[in-house]
Amino acid sequence: MKTTFFLAGLLSLAVASQAEMTRITLKKADLTPAEKMAAYSETGMYTAQKYFGSPSRKMNADKAQQIFGLDADGKPSYGVPLSNYMNAQYYGEVNVGTPPQTFSVVFDTGSSNFWIPSNHCRSIACFLHRRYDSNQSKTFKANGTEFGIQYGSGSLEGIISNDNLEVGGIVIKHQDFGESVKEPGLAFAFGKFDGIFGLGYDTISVLGVVPPFYNLVNQKLIDDAVFGFYLAGADGTTGGQMTLGGVDSNHYEGDLQWHNVRRKGYWEIDLTKIVLGDEEVDLEAGAVIDTGSSLIVLQTALAEMINNQIGAKKNYAGQYTIECSAVASLPEFSFFFGKKKYTLTGEDYILNAGGNCISGFMGMDFPESLGDLWIVGDVFLRKYYSVYDLGKDRVGFAIAK
């Protein structure tokens, strides 16, 4: 009888252990080859919007400082709105309010706020997506603080509201979030999903709103302040998986290799060297690990050098393309984060959009004041399972499976 009770205790512990981590299925946007080409061609503009609040590739140094810093009053100066719609391909569903209203969102480590279209929005983009109706929610609480973020195509405007947010079956109580009431331009309209669920640090949150993951931790809804991403292959229809409160060892091989966050804004780690074939370059750079971006974005001059080295040519849209028949013979490319080497093959860093092969290396003119910065997106994250540890301020990688 004692043995039976002992085994029962072990089983109950096992069940409790499994309950500590939540798995969320990620879907993959079903883009046509033409849509993929369009999305990749606009990567520079979307990335500039996302990190600097402007569609221009060339930024003023004072505006660029806002990527990681605070303004003169010590307040977070820039956050990330719904700017990365077309460029992101992986998304999942969340519920807002009581009864629940369902929205598709990009789980984005390159931003820190939760945003969805509002029922009060009259922009074309809003009518093409699901919209939040506060009148239908019993748990809605008005805030009303206004926000506006300027783009080349106009201003994204909205209000801060408060309601319950369910993600992966976990209900976050009293989550502040953005209801967009004006979304400029067609880029917002063409997104395959409704909004963005930011997973970055609170230091870059618009208006200092507490990010959802912080509330998961603060409300003790997860045991560990950790989340993980598995992104399925570029050619498959399966999206992948995000975990909250732990990692899923079924999706990676070997041990996780950890790297400390160097600046607490985005998930930025030290990039010390790159290697392409037999050539290597030592760096003192930062790599921002961004699940909401499709490509690897780096300084324009270095991107041109890498693309020239692999034989990629710039087309009319500014994309670097290469003959698909040459991909198998391309040299390996490696990142060194600290002393740890992470390698990509040609099949990893070249994207096939319906028979058009596009380089995963995209150039952008970062301001000199930021130093050498790389944005490492899905091209890398499909190859490597990634883990984000808010409690210990570190990022981990292992070969995905």
Side-chain angles (χ1 to χ4, degrees):
M1 184 65 68
K2 291 182 178 179
T3 302
T4 302
F5 283 132
F6 177 70
L7 290 175
L10 287 179
L11 287 172
S12 66
L13 285 174
V15 171
S17 178
Q18 291 174 0
E20 291 171 359
M21 181 179 68
T22 298
R23 293 175 173 85
I24 299 166
T25 298
L26 300 181
K27 302 177 182 179
K28 193 163 184 294
D30 185 17
L31 301 179
T32 66
E35 286 174 328
K36 287 182 180 179
M37 291 287 287
Y40 297 143
S41 70
E42 300 295 342
T43 294
M45 181 181 70
Y46 291 127
T47 304
Q49 285 183 348
K50 180 171 183 176
Y51 285 91
F52 307 115
S54 167
S56 171
R57 285 190 182 184
K58 294 183 182 293
M59 304 294 154
N60 294 327
D62 59 343
K63 188 169 287 188
Q65 293 287 4
Q66 299 174 1
I67 183 173
F68 294 111
L70 305 177
D71 63 17
D73 298 322
K75 299 179 180 179
S77 52
Y78 255 85
V80 185
L82 301 166
S83 59
N84 210 30
Y85 260 16
M86 287 183 65
N87 190 34
Q89 296 186 30
Y90 298 91
Y91 61 96
E93 291 189 339
V94 300
N95 294 315
V96 182
T98 309
Q101 301 174 43
T102 302
F103 298 91
S104 297
V105 295
V106 176
F107 292 105
D108 179 22
T109 59
S111 71
S112 297
N113 292 84
F114 173 51
W115 306 87
I116 49 176
S118 172
N119 194 49
H120 302 294
C121 181
R122 294 295 179 263
S123 301
I124 294 176
C126 293
F127 284 102
L128 296 176
H129 293 93
R130 289 173 283 193
R131 296 176 293 161
Y132 171 73
D133 187 350
S134 60
N135 292 325
Q136 299 300 316
S137 176
K138 299 176 182 178
T139 46
F140 163 76
K141 292 184 178 180
N143 179 304
T145 302
E146 297 181 356
F147 67 86
I149 300 174
Q150 187 66 36
Y151 290 92
S153 56
S155 178
L156 174 74
E157 299 174 2
I159 56 174
I160 301 298
S161 293
N162 182 286
D163 209 333
N164 291 349
L165 168 62
E166 181 200 336
V167 53
I170 305 174
V171 178
I172 303 171
K173 301 285 188 180
H174 312 303
Q175 175 65 50
D176 285 334
F177 64 96
E179 285 190 63
S180 61
V181 300
K182 179 184 176 183
E183 297 180 5
L186 293 177
F188 294 90
F190 291 145
K192 299 290 183 178
F193 23 82
D194 307 309
I196 284 182
F197 186 109
L199 290 161
Y201 279 85
D202 59 358
T203 53
I204 59 168
S205 173
V206 171
L207 299 177
V209 171
V210 179
F213 189 74
Y214 279 72
N215 277 330
L216 282 170
V217 176
N218 295 340
Q219 296 179 23
K220 303 187 186 306
L221 299 173
I222 54 177
D223 287 342
D224 295 320
V226 172
F227 59 93
F229 274 90
Y230 162 71
L231 302 183
D235 298 328
T237 55
T238 302
Q241 180 191 85
M242 180 178 74
T243 57
L244 298 172
V247 300
D248 190 345
S249 59
N250 293 318
H251 282 304
Y252 65 88
E253 301 174 358
D255 296 326
L256 290 164
Q257 303 296 318
W258 294 101
H259 306 276
N260 292 330
V261 171
R262 73 200 298 254
R263 290 186 286 192
K264 297 178 186 178
Y266 302 98
W267 292 93
E268 183 191 0
I269 59 178
D270 286 324
L271 173 57
T272 55
K273 182 164 64 174
I274 57 169
V275 179
L276 180 63
D278 296 328
E279 299 187 24
E280 61 182 59
V281 178
D282 290 325
L283 300 171
E284 293 182 1
V288 174
I289 312 303
D290 187 353
T291 58
S293 292
S294 295
L295 307 182
I296 296 171
V297 183
L298 61 151
Q299 293 281 358
T300 298
L302 191 51
E304 290 177 351
M305 291 173 59
I306 291 174
N307 283 309
N308 288 336
Q309 194 73 13
I310 64 176
K313 307 295 184 183
K314 187 179 288 188
N315 65 12
Y316 66 93
Q319 299 166 317
Y320 283 95
T321 62
I322 191 170
E323 292 294 330
C324 294
S325 58
V327 173
S329 61
L330 290 177
E332 292 182 341
F333 175 87
S334 298
F335 287 111
F336 277 79
F337 299 137
K339 296 182 179 179
K340 178 62 179 177
K341 180 180 181 181
Y342 298 91
T343 298
L344 301 175
T345 65
E347 285 85 354
D348 297 322
Y349 64 74
I350 299 296
L351 304 170
N352 191 318
N356 297 298
C357 285
I358 304 168
S359 169
F361 298 101
M362 177 76 185
M364 191 171 76
D365 294 328
F366 293 93
E368 292 182 5
S369 58
L370 288 180
D372 194 359
L373 191 70
W374 295 54
I375 298 169
V376 179
D378 299 345
V379 168
F380 176 84
L381 295 172
R382 280 189 286 268
K383 179 74 172 284
Y384 294 96
Y385 185 87
S386 58
V387 182
Y388 308 80
D389 188 340
L390 184 64
K392 296 182 179 178
D393 297 316
R394 60 181 185 170
V395 180
F397 302 111
I399 293 284
K401 69 175 183 179

